[in-house]
């Protein structure tokens, strides 16, 4: 029992955990690189040669549709002198990926094609000198990548998510818009906020007007590192759906009208990019206004959260607050999330990244 606050409470994580550079470096290796992370959506990679670039767990990477129709992912690193191979966010390359620095070229499957003008006696094994590959799989129109090339398949990693999402027509939905924001908030600060509705009455009047907050619940599936958030809607409409959070930071908000798919990209201790994509079955011009209203409704809730947890992070950084009490009644999912974040750093794992 925590002295002075009774049996129905536990301690939060120490404030230093949300700002410490060394701890963040371990999280990057042992959490971000070890898990499947959402990277793109399949419609962006419709044809062979279509590619998407970006950052994932601090690595510059790209995904590309191969001639065989399979999506593959690679570090965006030339094997010659480490130049970034593809510099546009999206595009379509020819049959070869040609380095803009010294013109080394690679096939769409990552194999080396030619070390340009290297010398008459030079020979390079195409596979040994191919691009640094990453694990990459598609699921229902979403593209996931894993930096560390070991572990469960994507379907096994998703676990119960597959069943929860089964009734929603994800494959029929199309990208409509996105909202991205860079904020001074640690990824754990954001996850903790997402996984409790203790704050909902104080902060989310719009959400409370549509959900029966008295019946809001979060089911913790600890063995799958999954959280299922649910509450009855006060009437049919925006909030009829399923809310899922897969550790470390995949958020699937699935509705009959569409999907709000979110993740975060940690940028350092106490800093992240929040990424939110909105998909609808009907993205015709006639539905644009209604779709935008739905996306804005969802984005407003995130704005309300970010506005207050930026202040939380400032106080975590300042040094006066050390740790606080967590309610087992209202913050049981936060307690479970924090335990996952701690235990992930205690597991044995390789010290070298896949590209080394």
């Amino acid at each position: 029992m925590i002295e002075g606050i009774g049996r129905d409470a536990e301690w939060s994580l120490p404030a230093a955990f949300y700002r410490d550079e060394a701890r963040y470096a371990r999280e990057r290796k042992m959490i971000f690189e070890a898990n499947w992370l959402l990277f793109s959506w399949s419609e962006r990679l419709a044809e062979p040669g279509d590619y998407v670039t970006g950052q994932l767990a601090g690595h510059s990477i790209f995904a590309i549709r191969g001639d065989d129709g399979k999506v593959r992912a690679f570090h965006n690193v030339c094997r010659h002198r480490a130049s970034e191979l593809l510099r546009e966010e999206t595009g379509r390359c020819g049959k070869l990926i040609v380095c803009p620095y010294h013109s080394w070229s690679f096939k769409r499957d990552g194999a080396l094609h030619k070390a340009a003008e290297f010398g008459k006696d030079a020979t390079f094994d195409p596979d040994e000198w191919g691009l640094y590959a990453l694990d990459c799989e598609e699921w229902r129109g979403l593209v996931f990548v894993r930096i560390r090339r070991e572990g469960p398949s994507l379907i096994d990693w998703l676990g119960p998510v597959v069943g929860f999402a089964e009734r929603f027509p994800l494959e029929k939905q199309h990208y409509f818009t996105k909202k991205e924001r860079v904020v001074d908030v640690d990824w754990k600060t954001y996850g903790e906020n997402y996984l409790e509705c203790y704050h909902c009455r104080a902060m989310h009047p719009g959400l409370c007007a549509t959900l029966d907050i008295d019946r809001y619940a979060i089911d913790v599936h600890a063995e799958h590192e999954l959280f299922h958030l649910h509450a009855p809607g006060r009437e049919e409409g925006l909030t009829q759906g399923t809310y899922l959070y897969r550790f470390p930071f995949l958020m699937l908000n699935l509705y009959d009208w569409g999907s709000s798919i979110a993740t975060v990209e940690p940028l350092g201790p106490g800093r992240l990019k929040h990424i939110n994509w909105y998909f609808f079955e009907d993205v015709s011009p006639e539905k644009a206004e209604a779709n935008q209203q739905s996306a804005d409704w969802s984005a407003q809730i995130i704005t309300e959260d970010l506005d207050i947890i930026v202040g939380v992070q400032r106080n975590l950084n300042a040094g006066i607050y050390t740790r606080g009490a967590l309610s087992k009644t209202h913050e049981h999912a936060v307690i479970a999330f924090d335990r996952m974040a701690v235990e992930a750093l205690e597991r044995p794992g390789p010290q070298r990244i896949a590209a080394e």
Side-chain angles (χ1 to χ4, degrees):
M1 182 174 70
I2 302 173
E3 185 176 353
I5 58 175
R7 296 182 180 277
D8 192 35
E10 289 196 15
W11 286 117
S12 66
L13 296 177
F17 283 17
Y18 303 85
R19 62 177 189 260
D20 182 71
E21 291 279 358
R23 189 174 192 87
Y24 177 81
R26 293 174 61 209
E27 290 173 344
R28 178 173 172 249
K29 294 291 184 185
M30 301 182 71
I31 299 178
F32 313 154
E33 292 185 359
N35 281 283
W36 286 100
L37 302 180
L38 182 63
F39 182 63
S40 187
W41 59 94
S42 298
E43 278 187 329
R44 298 177 91 188
L45 301 162
E47 301 294 335
D50 287 351
Y51 68 82
V52 176
T53 68
Q55 299 290 315
L56 204 67
H59 298 273
S60 178
I61 74 166
F62 69 92
I64 186 169
R65 180 82 64 184
D67 297 326
D68 57 0
K70 182 178 178 180
V71 176
R72 296 175 176 85
F74 304 95
H75 287 276
N76 195 4
V77 179
C78 182
R79 291 296 305 275
H80 174 223
R81 293 267 298 283
S83 173
E84 288 192 336
L85 295 160
L86 300 170
R87 292 182 287 180
E88 299 297 324
E89 180 181 349
T90 62
R92 179 177 297 172
C93 69
K95 287 291 185 181
L96 298 174
I97 302 166
V98 181
C99 178
Y101 197 10
H102 298 100
S103 300
W104 281 38
S105 56
F106 302 84
K107 298 179 181 179
R108 291 172 177 170
D109 64 2
L112 175 68
H113 172 69
K114 186 178 182 181
E117 302 180 22
F118 199 85
K120 293 181 179 179
D121 297 329
T123 58
F124 294 89
D125 182 274
D127 295 320
E128 287 293 324
W129 283 88
L131 299 178
Y132 296 123
L134 305 166
D135 288 340
C136 183
E137 293 187 27
E138 294 179 272
W139 175 73
R140 303 197 63 187
L142 298 174
V143 178
F144 291 79
V145 174
R146 182 171 57 200
I147 302 295
R148 187 189 300 171
R149 304 207 66 193
E150 60 179 36
S153 68
L154 176 61
I155 291 297
D156 288 342
W157 182 86
L158 288 168
V161 169
V162 175
F164 281 124
E166 187 174 12
R167 75 177 184 89
F168 296 95
L170 297 179
E171 292 88 350
K172 296 181 180 180
Q173 296 175 4
H174 306 283
Y175 172 79
F176 175 71
T177 190
K178 68 178 179 180
K179 191 171 182 65
E180 298 182 353
R181 347 179 193 198
V182 174
V183 291
D184 290 329
V185 170
D186 191 73
W187 71 276
K188 298 183 294 301
T189 307
Y190 186 85
E192 291 167 347
N193 174 82
Y194 191 96
L195 293 171
E196 51 94 349
C197 208
Y198 196 10
H199 68 276
C200 287
R201 285 187 177 85
M203 288 179 48
H204 300 313
L207 183 64
C208 292
T210 55
L211 282 181
D212 184 352
I213 294 299
D214 290 332
R215 297 167 65 188
Y216 193 98
I218 304 179
D219 301 330
V220 179
H221 302 265
E223 67 277 21
H224 299 288
E225 298 188 322
L226 174 68
F227 303 86
H228 177 211
L229 303 82
H230 54 95
R234 297 190 186 279
E235 59 183 49
E236 294 294 325
L238 292 174
T239 54
Q240 300 303 303
T242 291
Y243 310 86
L244 304 167
Y245 188 110
R246 176 42 166 110
F247 183 86
F249 33 67
L250 172 66
M251 291 157 277
L252 303 177
N253 306 307
L254 309 177
Y255 306 96
D256 294 330
W257 50 262
S259 300
S260 167
I261 310 294
T263 187
V264 301
E265 179 187 324
L267 301 176
R271 190 167 176 80
L272 61 80
K273 177 190 285 188
H274 185 277
I275 302 165
N276 213 148
W277 306 329
Y278 296 95
F279 298 86
F280 298 92
E281 194 164 338
D282 185 350
V283 291
S284 65
E286 293 76 17
K287 291 289 290 183
E289 183 176 357
N291 289 347
Q292 190 63 55
Q293 288 176 349
S294 297
D296 290 345
W297 173 84
S298 175
Q300 176 59 30
I301 298 169
I302 298 166
T303 297
E304 292 163 355
D305 284 330
L306 292 176
D307 283 349
I308 201 161
I309 63 176
V310 165
V312 170
Q313 187 65 46
R314 278 197 296 266
N315 285 329
L316 290 170
N317 293 345
I320 185 63
Y321 176 95
T322 55
R323 63 196 313 183
L326 296 177
S327 165
K328 293 179 182 177
T329 301
H330 297 291
E331 296 164 304
H332 65 285
V334 175
I335 295 168
F337 173 89
D338 287 351
R339 187 173 296 120
M340 293 173 193
V342 170
E343 291 178 351
L345 299 189
E346 297 172 348
R347 298 170 189 156
Q351 299 301 308
R352 301 168 66 194
I353 65 171
E356 291 181 326

